[in-house]
Amino acid sequence: QDTTSPATYYLLRLVVLAILITVSHNVLMEERYEHYMMVGDRALASLDFQEASKNYNMALQSAQEGTMTGDDFKLRPKMMVPTINLAKCLRELARYKEAEDILTKYIKDAKDPPVDTRLHARVLSTLAELYQAQSKYDAAAKLHKQAVSMVRGGTPNLELAGSIAGYAETLRKSGDLPQAELHHREALAIRTRAVEEKSCTELELAVSYTQLGCTLAGMHKHNEAYQQHHRALGLRYRYLDFSHGLVSESMNYCAESLCALGKGVEGIPLALHAVEIRKTIFGTTHPAYAHALSILASCYQSVGRSFDARDCLEKCLEICEVAFQRNHANIIPNLMNYGNVLRSTGDLKKARSVYQRAIAIHQLNFKEGQQASRLEKCRAEVDKLKAESERRDSCSSGGHSSVEDLSSLRIHPEPHVSDSMGTPVIVFTDIGRDVDDEMALVLLSALRRKHLLDPKAVIATLSPVRDRANLARGSLDVLGMADVPVGIGGSGGAVKDLEVYKAVHSRSSESIEDCGITLACNVLKKANSKSVQILCLASLSDLAVLIKDHEELFISKVKEVVVMGGLLPIDSHDKLVPDTAYNNNCDMEAARFVYESCQELCVPTVTLSRWTAYGCPMRPELLDELARTEHMVATNIRKKSKESIDQLWKKVVLPPDDPGREKLPSRCDAKWFYKTFIGKELPAELPTSVWNDVEKLNMYDPLAVLMCVSSYRSTHFRCTEKVVNEVSHLVVGVCEQENGIRNRKALFDEYSALFLYAMQASLYEPKININYNSNFVDEVTSKRSALVNRAA
């Protein structure tokens, strides 16, 4: 300081200050870089490409604002890694030009040899994947080969596995399936070794299982393809959230393999969940969502529901035409599926033009010999469609409209044919009124899988019947019963439309029969004598119509009628007389007619009363456990249960003559609600919502489903017999004291396990256990259980 002039000293202080500011700025930029990379990686892992690309851009800006300068700055890892990841995101967002500009600029500026060989190989692979996405297979293969050669030296690792698998995918897409299989198996072997050495998690194997499965599917090795995809699905269930995009990918491919194996009905639940997951993650304009729709269409087509398949494919193609460049090769499989579906619906002219377009796009994207079998298939279909069109034109007579000709060629869904040895059953339901109707369908799916019941038709009744039929159709589809036909019943005694709860799986379908009675008659006509059970979970209006209009058919084919309802004390009457249970009360005239007819015609009945339902309570926690499966029916039922209880509460607090009670018996008031559902006295101040106070729930209709199975009936229920005209009629739950339940806990455990089985089986999920104490059913003797949404 003594020898330094004031000016120099001041200048030195400015330099030091500048250095400190620069260091502080660099530290801040470093922190920002790490933050944006972390957020970007997290978004990329969850397939949120929009969010990931935004953060990788911010990471690049942070790195550029740091102190790293020089000609090789842009080639260093801090720039290269976010650049590669940004390009991947842009590719997934179909922003191909931007991604290509980023990658080609890096390659152009790269030194020879590269500063970082490993990262340079990743850039080449990323660009190759981009070219592959645009059907530029030759250019993609060339880059993949370069990348593989750069990382092949040394100990095999995940980088090498990724490069080899990338090359194999290009081979698969271009049609060289044997070589693709060879390379995918090599990549799988490397990844398997890495898992054994604990250098990565098992989840890494799911990538190879999926890619190998797709290759094997292309070679028509569908059994082995399904095994690979199922392994991938199992790993992704174990390590990822149910709503993750990669879970939906494995669901898609499992569904596709099941469809190819002739098990499309089992693939539909997986495909429907994949559609919803991808809709949530990607939106309805992304190719990933379109791909899920395409696979769902294939599954629907495999079970004869061509019009549902057509609707899915038209949405799919609409998305692809916008998302992909014109005449993109990825559109070809969708066009081929669409042509096949159009042919099934009878639209031969349009089907032919669709196949012709597929041929034109193929010729624009592939060299001679590439994907040759696909091209030959398209040409063969064009020739067949031409011949069929000419044959139809020559057979058509004057005066027939083209619409009539088209209608005559339409392929309608075949009646449900099952190899099940279970009892054939026709179900009448007012689904959407309360959740226990849908829970009954859940139980029905479990019993069908166990070959105990064979549902032949489900008929939706109670206005608005179309909405209820849509919900029934969607529920059956997502529970693995897409081949069970749905019909539309009558108003069920309702003078106005009653509420139908919302569900994401509710779906309109041209496969829904407009007349439920006709559907029931068709089932009965094809059935063996005295073999069919009729299960009535709703108003008896439709069953009354069936008996009135088709009495002889009813007598000859119906084995038994099972009703969720109630009877007046059977000892006080010579015959069975319906009481004021809700289902009876909806149309009392019909209820009396059904019981009188069954007794006169000597058709046995089984009646399950509200006392039985009160005898086997269920805690709300069971719904939570079922929802853990993430099955869309389970999650919706849990949500709607709360809404249903609150809706019922709002009705019971109304005056007895208020139309808003909707035929709720007058005995069902607020005091009754608290005593019955909550087990407490009515408080002085009435709450607006009672869900948090509910200790027990009750499912009426599932118990009625169980009554249809003789083994469950004898094991879990005590039936009281009433003989009329020498025919035995059974009643379960004749009064509060005799509810007909043999062992509450055993019955609860039985139906809880069946509910869980149905959810897991339809999603091919690993088994999970119900992990709360069910002994509570033995803790209550005098308290009644809560209703889910209905006053019986």
Side-chain angles (χ1 to χ4, degrees):
Q1 184 175 353
D2 293 340
T3 59
T4 304
S5 68
T8 302
Y9 176 71
Y10 180 70
L11 183 60
L12 287 173
R13 289 188 64 181
L14 288 177
V15 170
V16 170
L17 181 60
I19 293 172
L20 290 174
I21 291 173
T22 301
V23 170
S24 298
H25 174 74
N26 291 338
V27 170
L28 177 61
M29 291 302 103
E30 179 72 19
E31 290 176 350
R32 285 186 178 179
Y33 174 87
E34 295 297 337
H35 169 74
Y36 289 128
M37 286 298 296
M38 179 186 68
V39 176
D41 290 345
R42 189 181 301 147
L44 181 60
S46 62
L47 307 187
D48 187 348
F49 301 114
Q50 197 73 46
E51 181 68 16
S53 63
K54 181 179 74 174
N55 281 278
Y56 288 135
N57 258 322
M58 296 300 293
L60 285 170
Q61 291 179 27
S62 299
Q64 288 170 341
E65 292 177 14
T67 56
M68 297 181 66
T69 56
D71 292 340
D72 65 339
F73 165 59
K74 58 181 171 294
L75 308 179
R76 295 184 184 181
K78 277 193 181 296
M79 291 293 289
M80 291 171 64
V81 173
T83 297
I84 293 169
N85 291 349
L86 175 59
K88 288 182 177 180
C89 292
L90 294 173
R91 181 192 73 219
E92 293 294 336
L93 294 168
R95 292 160 61 180
Y96 300 135
K97 183 66 169 61
E98 295 173 63
E100 185 173 355
D101 289 345
I102 291 172
L103 295 170
T104 53
K105 186 176 189 307
Y106 160 78
I107 293 173
K108 179 181 178 182
D109 295 341
K111 293 184 177 181
D112 190 12
V115 174
D116 188 319
T117 302
R118 181 180 61 86
L119 283 176
H120 187 80
R122 283 181 59 186
V123 173
L124 294 178
S125 293
T126 304
L127 183 58
E129 291 164 0
L130 178 64
Y131 285 151
Q132 178 185 300
Q134 300 174 80
S135 307
K136 301 175 182 178
Y137 299 119
D138 290 341
K142 181 179 178 181
L143 289 170
H144 274 309
K145 286 181 181 178
Q146 292 179 36
V148 171
S149 65
M150 293 181 74
V151 296
R152 192 171 279 281
T155 305
N157 54 32
L158 293 179
E159 288 285 346
L160 176 60
S163 296
I164 293 171
Y167 179 42
E169 280 296 277
T170 295
L171 292 171
R172 177 176 74 87
K173 292 276 189 176
S174 63
D176 191 349
L177 297 176
Q179 282 298 308
E181 181 187 4
L182 183 68
H183 285 80
H184 274 313
R185 291 195 184 278
E186 181 185 1
L188 175 57
I190 295 171
R191 285 173 170 144
T192 301
R193 189 157 51 249
V195 170
E196 292 169 350
E197 295 170 353
K198 295 183 169 38
S199 61
C200 69
T201 69
E202 287 182 294
L203 192 57
E204 190 71 31
L205 296 176
V207 179
S208 277
Y209 291 148
T210 299
Q211 294 171 336
L212 180 57
C214 290
T215 304
L216 293 167
M219 301 169 76
H220 304 290
K221 298 178 181 180
H222 297 299
N223 268 309
E224 192 176 353
Y226 171 71
Q227 292 170 10
Q228 299 293 337
H229 288 312
H230 192 244
R231 287 171 186 155
L233 180 61
L235 289 173
R236 286 168 173 172
Y237 273 149
R238 187 184 308 169
Y239 292 105
L240 300 174
D241 290 338
F242 184 87
S243 58
H244 196 284
L246 292 177
V247 172
S248 73
E249 178 184 74
S250 290
M251 286 178 168
N252 259 337
Y253 288 129
C254 280
E256 187 175 46
S257 293
L258 287 167
C259 184
L261 291 169
K263 300 178 181 180
V265 69
E266 296 181 37
I268 286 173
L270 292 168
L272 284 168
H273 280 85
V275 165
E276 288 306 315
I277 292 171
R278 293 193 166 196
K279 181 179 180 180
T280 301
I281 295 175
F282 300 108
T284 57
T285 60
H286 196 279
Y289 176 66
H291 181 237
L293 288 173
S294 175
I295 290 176
L296 178 59
S298 296
C299 291
Y300 275 138
Q301 175 71 356
S302 74
V303 297
R305 288 170 54 182
S306 300
F307 292 98
D308 292 326
R310 179 199 63 189
D311 294 344
C312 290
L313 281 169
E314 287 177 351
K315 291 178 186 175
C316 167
L317 286 166
E318 183 180 342
I319 295 166
C320 291
E321 296 289 0
V322 175
F324 294 124
Q325 63 193 40
R326 181 168 175 77
N327 297 324
H328 194 286
N330 283 3
I331 299 177
I332 297 174
N334 296 327
L335 289 172
M336 293 175 69
N337 287 342
Y338 188 39
N340 181 40
V341 167
L342 289 171
R343 181 180 184 176
S344 297
T345 64
D347 197 344
L348 305 185
K349 181 178 179 181
K350 189 172 182 180
R352 184 182 175 197
S353 69
V354 166
Y355 275 113
Q356 288 172 330
R357 186 180 174 215
I359 292 171
I361 295 176
H362 180 99
Q363 292 171 335
L364 290 171
N365 286 278
F366 296 97
K367 296 188 300 184
E368 187 72 27
Q370 288 184 329
Q371 293 283 10
S373 61
R374 188 163 69 182
L375 178 60
E376 287 306 310
K377 183 176 180 180
C378 288
R379 286 172 171 165
E381 290 298 323
V382 168
D383 292 340
K384 288 179 185 177
L385 286 163
K386 181 181 179 182
E388 287 181 33
S389 296
E390 291 173 350
R391 187 162 54 250
R392 186 182 71 179
D393 292 342
S394 65
C395 292
S396 62
S397 57
H400 283 199
S401 70
S402 59
V403 174
E404 290 173 330
D405 292 338
L406 180 62
S407 176
S408 66
L409 286 170
R410 286 181 176 174
I411 298 177
H412 295 278
E414 290 294 324
H416 168 53
V417 177
S418 173
D419 58 0
S420 168
M421 298 302 292
T423 303
V425 58
I426 298 172
V427 181
F428 290 89
T429 175
D430 56 3
I431 188 171
R433 182 87 169 124
D434 45 51
V435 298
D436 68 329
D437 283 81
E438 193 163 18
M439 289 294 275
L441 296 187
V442 174
L443 206 58
L444 192 65
S445 74
L447 297 177
R448 173 170 131 149
R449 290 178 185 277
K450 291 179 176 291
H451 305 291
L452 295 172
L453 289 180
D454 186 12
K456 293 295 187 181
V458 172
I459 298 166
T461 182
L462 195 66
S463 296
V465 287
R466 173 64 70 173
D467 292 343
R468 296 190 197 282
N470 291 345
L471 179 56
R473 179 70 278 157
S475 297
L476 292 171
D477 287 2
V478 82
L479 289 167
M481 297 187 287
D483 54 345
V484 177
V486 172
I488 295 177
S491 65
V495 296
K496 65 174 183 177
D497 286 351
L498 304 178
E499 74 271 9
V500 180
Y501 61 69
K502 303 294 183 182
V504 69
H505 51 276
S506 178
R507 58 191 307 108
S508 61
S509 168
E510 289 197 40
S511 71
I512 295 174
E513 298 285 345
D514 289 331
C515 181
I517 299 301
T518 300
L519 173 60
C521 287
N522 290 338
V523 170
L524 292 175
K525 288 174 184 176
K526 296 175 183 178
N528 295 327
S529 176
K530 293 293 184 181
S531 64
V532 179
Q533 283 181 316
I534 290 183
L535 174 60
C536 199
L537 307 176
S539 160
L540 278 68
S541 300
D542 290 271
L543 182 53
V545 172
L546 178 64
I547 296 171
K548 285 178 183 177
D549 296 347
H550 308 277
E551 181 179 294
E552 185 177 341
L553 183 64
F554 176 78
I555 297 171
S556 64
K557 297 301 180 74
V558 174
K559 166 188 175 182
E560 184 179 69
V561 174
V562 179
V563 179
M564 179 61 239
L567 297 169
L568 294 177
I570 59 175
D571 293 337
S572 304
H573 300 80
D574 294 334
K575 292 186 177 183
L576 304 179
V577 180
D579 67 5
T580 59
Y582 179 85
N583 286 343
N584 295 335
N585 217 34
C586 285
D587 189 343
M588 185 57 74
E589 182 180 347
R592 293 193 183 103
F593 175 81
V594 167
Y595 276 103
E596 289 172 2
S597 298
C598 287
Q599 292 170 91
E600 290 175 6
L601 302 173
C602 298
V603 176
T605 64
V606 180
T607 303
L608 194 80
S609 79
R610 65 182 181 274
W611 305 117
T612 308
Y614 294 164
C616 191
M618 179 183 75
R619 284 194 187 277
E621 285 91 328
L622 177 58
L623 298 183
D624 295 333
E625 293 295 327
L626 296 178
R628 284 177 56 205
T629 66
E630 300 282 353
H631 194 290
M632 61 176 69
V633 168
T635 55
N636 195 62
I637 282 175
R638 180 178 60 174
K639 176 184 176 183
K640 295 304 176 183
S641 292
K642 177 183 181 302
E643 295 175 6
S644 297
I645 277 288
D646 285 339
Q647 286 173 2
L648 180 58
W649 170 245
K650 291 176 182 177
K651 292 172 187 174
V652 301
V653 298
L654 295 173
D657 57 350
D658 193 302
R661 290 175 61 87
E662 298 175 352
K663 297 193 176 182
L664 201 61
S666 59
R667 57 184 166 80
C668 300
D669 57 12
K671 184 177 180 180
W672 163 86
F673 185 100
Y674 254 78
K675 180 182 177 182
T676 305
F677 300 169
I678 302 173
K680 297 178 182 179
E681 293 298 320
L682 188 68
E685 185 175 346
L686 300 183
T688 55
S689 174
V690 293
W691 176 255
N692 292 334
D693 296 324
V694 171
E695 295 182 358
K696 297 170 287 294
L697 297 173
N698 190 30
M699 296 291 170
Y700 289 79
D701 296 339
L703 296 182
V705 173
L706 286 181
M707 282 296 297
C708 294
V709 181
S710 59
S711 58
Y712 290 137
R713 183 184 299 182
S714 60
T715 300
H716 296 296
F717 302 97
R718 284 190 305 271
C719 300
T720 301
E721 184 182 44
K722 178 78 172 181
V723 177
V724 180
N725 291 336
E726 300 182 350
V727 173
S728 175
H729 297 267
L730 302 179
V731 183
V732 185
V734 293
C735 62
E736 183 176 4
Q737 291 71 33
E738 178 48 57
N739 58 38
I741 302 294
R742 291 187 182 276
N743 185 309
R744 290 178 180 139
K745 183 178 183 304
L747 178 54
F748 170 82
D749 289 345
E750 188 83 72
Y751 71 64
S752 297
L754 288 170
F755 284 144
L756 191 61
Y757 168 68
M759 301 297 186
Q760 292 174 328
S762 62
L763 291 177
Y764 286 74
E765 287 186 340
K767 184 178 180 181
I768 61 174
N769 296 317
I770 297 175
N771 56 13
Y772 70 90
N773 184 10
S774 64
N775 286 326
F776 77 93
V777 294
D778 293 324
E779 297 170 3
V780 288
T781 303
S782 59
K783 294 181 180 179
R784 303 222 187 98
S785 61
L787 301 169
V788 172
N789 179 19
R790 162 192 339 232

